[in-house]
């Protein structure tokens, strides 16, 4: 038998899970600071949620979904992103009726997309994302962007670029859409078959095409910025004002359009400009989606959110050579000399753990020297050695591995002495 993991997935081994935990904890802490609360939704949903909520002209829906029939003949899909599920849940649980608005939520979990695997692009990846639903205050757009940036900054990233744009409101988008159709229609034969489909269904997405990106018509395409009505332009101006006030640098890119159908007003992406980060430079993307809640059966509640993958965050940290704190080190390794001592060592190991001291011992009946080597290799802060002598004295030999000093410590004061030693490190 030769079964390997499926293409586009990865095993995250203990040597790497420590890094994951560090960034996951950093993210959760940042969410607490901004007062976003965690929501957990199912990994699969009714397929229709995504065709409606993500949009059936998007790459995600057309090419990337893991859709299957269950035994009851329902069409289900492994979630390719989080927003549609969060909004479904918002509607289903009538969160629009919560006394505290906007409802500020975050999620962290695996997403699934059938994609061509490359660095930073997987078929199963972990997204962290957040949504603020129920407010159309430009200050909350700035909050969402600020939270995203703060995570990257706290992770230590320096080479960051924030790009923003406004897609405008429905009126602005209709006007722009008409201009786009007029612009591309006479030459649409030069474009890929996807773009030919997009022309009538969703011409904005032509600007997002990866195949035709070098066609000169892309450069001269009518810019959204020129079609923003007064209200949309004023909204965008306020978002920029808040960002400036918060000292968040940004660039405006009038060609930034998000791949998803339900976005309007603010759209943004965060990229890594670090050398060696690879071909894919986008770390996170998001924006405002004022029509989505109503599209999924709720009242007209405006929302904004964004998502990033943990994989790309870690890749960016690697590219910038950021050191991770060692969270897996061991406080104490216990070494037994002889059968009787082994019993005491076992008892003490479990006792230490009860006192929140991480402890480990030998389970292979190895010689003392080999046990000592384990303690070194595991980078234990201290070693406890027990032999016949120590047993007789109701004591242990406690050795500080960083200084090499050792002392005889009675069983009765062991916990205190170990705490003193390990907490000082
Ligand atoms: P891309 O242009 O890279 O395909 P996207 O527009 O499909 O990105 P979104 O749907 O906006 O991406 O998802 C938000 C974030 O999720 C991305 O910025 C990226 O960090 C992450 N992401 C998306 N797809 C993948 C994937 N296949 N593997 C790892 N991370 C991903
Ligand atoms: Mg994609």
């Amino acid at each position: 038998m030769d079964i390997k993991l499926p293409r586009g997935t990865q095993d995250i081994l203990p040597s790497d899970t420590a890094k994951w935990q560090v960034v996951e904890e950093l993210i959760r802490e940042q969410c607490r600071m901004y007062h976003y609360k965690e929501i957990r939704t199912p990994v699969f949903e009714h397929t229709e949620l995504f065709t409606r909520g993500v949009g059936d002209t998007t790459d995600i829906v057309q090419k990337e979904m893991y859709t299957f029939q269950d035994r009851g003949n329902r069409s289900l899909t492994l979630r390719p992103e989080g927003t549609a599920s969060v909004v479904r849940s918002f509607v289903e649980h009538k969160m629009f009726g919560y006394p505290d608005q906007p409802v500020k939520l975050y999620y962290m979990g695996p997403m699934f997309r059938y994609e061509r695997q490359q660095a930073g692009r997987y078929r199963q990846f972990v997204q962290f994302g957040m949504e603020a639903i129920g407010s159309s205050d430009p200050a909350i757009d700035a909050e969402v962007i600020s939270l995203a940036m703060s995570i990257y900054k706290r992770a230590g990233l320096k080479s960051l670029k924030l790009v923003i744009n406004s897609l405008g409101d429905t009126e602005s988008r209709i006007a722009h859409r008409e201009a786009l159709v007029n612009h591309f229609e006479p030459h649409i034969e030069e474009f890929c078959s996807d773009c030919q489909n997009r022309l009538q269904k969703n011409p904005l997405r032509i600007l997002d095409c990866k195949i035709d990106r070098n066609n000169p018509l892309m450069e001269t395409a009518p810019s959204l910025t020129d079609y923003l009505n007064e209200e949309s332009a004023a909204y965008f101006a306020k978002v920029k004002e808040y960002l400036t006030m918060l000292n968040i640098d940004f660039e405006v890119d009038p060609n930034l359009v998000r791949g998803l159908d339900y976005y309007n007003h603010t759209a943004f992406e965060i990229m890594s400009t670090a050398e060696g980060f690879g071909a894919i430079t986008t770390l996170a993307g998001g924006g405002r989606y004022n029509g989505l809640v109503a599209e999924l059966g709720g009242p007209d509640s405006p929302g904004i959110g964004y998502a990033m993958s943990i994989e790309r965050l870690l890749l960016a940290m690697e590219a910038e050579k950021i050191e991770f704190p060692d969270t897996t080190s061991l406080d104490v390794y216990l070494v037994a000399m002889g059968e009787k001592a082994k019993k005491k060592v076992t008892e003490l190991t479990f006792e230490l753990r009860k006192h929140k001291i991480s402890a480990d011992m030998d389970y292979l009946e190895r010689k003392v020297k080999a046990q000592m080597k384990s303690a070194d290799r595991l980078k234990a802060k201290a070693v406890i050695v027990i032999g016949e002598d120590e047993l007789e004295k109701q004591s242990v030999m406690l050795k500080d591995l960083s200084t090499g000093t050792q002392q005889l410590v009675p069983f009765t004061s062991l916990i205190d002495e170990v705490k003193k030693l390990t907490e000082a490190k």
Side-chain angles (χ1 to χ4, degrees):
M1 213 163 63
D2 186 20
I3 302 177
K4 300 263 168 61
L5 48 68
R7 186 187 293 256
T9 65
Q10 31 175 5
D11 294 321
I12 301 161
L13 302 177
S15 52
D16 281 325
T17 45
K19 294 182 185 172
W20 279 74
Q21 286 168 3
V22 167
V23 300
E24 283 163 5
E25 183 41 38
L26 183 159
I27 287 169
R28 289 184 193 282
E29 196 179 294
Q30 233 22 39
C31 286
R32 282 195 292 275
M33 295 303 125
Y34 280 71
H35 200 223
Y36 282 71
K37 293 186 184 150
E38 187 181 7
I39 181 167
R40 301 188 187 191
T41 61
V43 161
F44 58 85
E45 297 266 4
H46 292 291
T47 301
E48 198 194 346
L49 174 67
F50 302 116
T51 50
R52 283 212 354 224
V54 177
D56 49 15
T57 60
T58 56
D59 280 356
I60 291 184
V61 170
Q62 291 203 332
K63 302 177 191 161
E64 298 173 358
M65 293 207 302
Y66 278 93
T67 297
F68 62 97
Q69 213 77 21
D70 78 356
R71 287 168 195 271
N73 269 332
R74 298 168 198 93
S75 177
L76 299 171
T77 294
L78 298 184
R79 61 181 185 192
E81 57 103 57
T83 305
S85 305
V86 171
V87 171
R88 177 202 47 71
S89 183
F90 177 86
V91 173
E92 195 160 341
H93 299 282
K94 300 193 171 55
M95 293 184 208
F96 44 80
Y98 284 8
D100 290 313
Q101 299 286 330
V103 176
K104 306 207 294 185
L105 303 167
Y106 80 90
Y107 56 86
M108 190 148 37
M111 304 292 161
F112 306 85
R113 296 185 193 180
Y114 191 80
E115 303 215 60
R116 211 165 54 79
Q117 186 187 356
Q118 49 184 301
R121 203 182 285 293
Y122 310 92
R123 291 184 175 176
Q124 175 175 333
F125 56 100
V126 175
Q127 256 186 1
F128 157 73
M130 43 179 289
E131 318 290 346
I133 313 175
S135 163
S136 52
D137 181 345
I140 204 142
D141 298 39
E143 173 172 289
V144 166
I145 294 173
S146 161
L147 174 45
M149 290 300 285
S150 77
I151 287 170
Y152 293 124
K153 284 182 189 158
R154 280 208 41 203
L157 297 181
K158 300 226 157 52
S159 309
L160 290 169
K161 189 165 87 173
L162 167 66
V163 181
I164 62 171
N165 190 23
S166 171
L167 309 179
D169 61 7
T170 314
E171 188 187 83
S172 315
R173 286 188 71 161
I174 290 173
H176 179 240
R177 183 197 158 97
E178 209 175 285
L180 280 177
V181 174
N182 292 338
H183 177 75
F184 286 114
E185 201 164 28
H187 309 274
I188 196 66
E189 276 75 46
E190 298 168 24
F191 286 77
C192 72
S193 60
D194 280 344
C195 282
Q196 297 184 10
N197 279 327
R198 287 167 186 149
L199 182 69
Q200 293 306 330
K201 283 194 190 143
N202 189 357
L204 190 64
R205 297 219 45 247
I206 296 178
L207 301 178
D208 208 13
C209 180
K210 287 174 182 115
I211 300 170
D212 292 315
R213 62 155 66 114
N214 294 324
N215 188 306
L217 281 177
M218 291 290 202
E219 282 281 312
T220 55
S223 162
L224 259 166
T225 320
D226 300 329
Y227 289 82
L228 294 184
N229 58 17
E230 212 174 301
E231 225 185 310
S232 303
Y235 191 94
F236 192 34
K238 280 199 186 137
V239 173
K240 289 187 278 190
E241 213 177 287
Y242 277 116
L243 289 175
T244 308
M245 198 189 81
L246 296 172
N247 287 320
I248 298 173
D249 293 335
F250 60 86
E251 273 174 34
V252 176
D253 176 358
N255 287 327
L256 172 72
V257 295
R258 304 280 308 140
L260 311 182
D261 275 357
Y262 49 64
Y263 284 102
N264 50 20
H265 288 292
T266 316
F268 69 97
E269 276 188 5
I270 300 169
M271 343 261 196
S272 167
T273 52
E275 225 172 283
F277 183 52
I280 299 174
T281 56
T282 309
L283 294 175
R288 189 161 266 291
Y289 47 81
N290 290 352
L292 183 62
V293 180
E295 173 68 32
L296 295 178
D300 211 359
S301 305
I304 179 163
Y306 89 98
M308 61 150 98
S309 69
I310 309 290
E311 287 85 352
R312 287 193 198 172
L313 166 57
L314 288 169
L315 283 173
M317 291 172 77
E318 220 168 86
E320 293 201 28
K321 304 196 166 56
I322 290 166
E323 303 255 346
F324 284 83
D326 187 3
T327 52
T328 58
S329 70
L330 184 66
D331 289 328
V332 189
Y333 194 86
L334 291 91
V335 173
M337 297 195 283
E339 195 54 31
K340 269 201 206 138
K342 165 81 184 264
K343 277 195 185 143
K344 192 66 195 172
V345 155
T346 309
E347 193 189 315
L348 286 179
T349 302
F350 285 74
E351 190 58 28
L352 286 163
R353 292 167 177 167
K354 277 190 209 153
H355 287 86
K356 302 210 158 149
I357 296 162
S358 63
D360 210 351
M361 57 178 272
D362 170 68
Y363 290 105
L364 295 172
E365 294 186 24
R366 288 173 306 173
K367 300 245 160 58
V368 170
K369 207 169 157 196
Q371 294 187 43
M372 293 299 291
K373 264 198 186 150
S374 280
D376 277 334
R377 202 172 39 244
L378 296 171
K379 297 200 184 77
K381 291 173 190 154
V383 171
I384 287 174
V385 182
I386 306 181
E388 299 279 330
D389 270 7
E390 286 79 12
L391 277 181
E392 223 155 82
K393 293 179 191 147
Q394 296 282 300
S395 300
V396 309
M397 192 56 83
L398 176 64
K399 183 173 177 185
D400 182 333
L401 275 189
S402 62
T403 60
T405 52
Q406 53 182 36
Q407 51 172 326
L408 200 64
V409 177
F411 293 154
T412 48
S413 54
L414 180 62
I415 301 290
D416 286 343
E417 288 302 322
V418 171
K419 276 198 173 158
K420 251 192 251 163
L421 190 154
T422 54
E423 279 165 14
K425 303 286 161 204

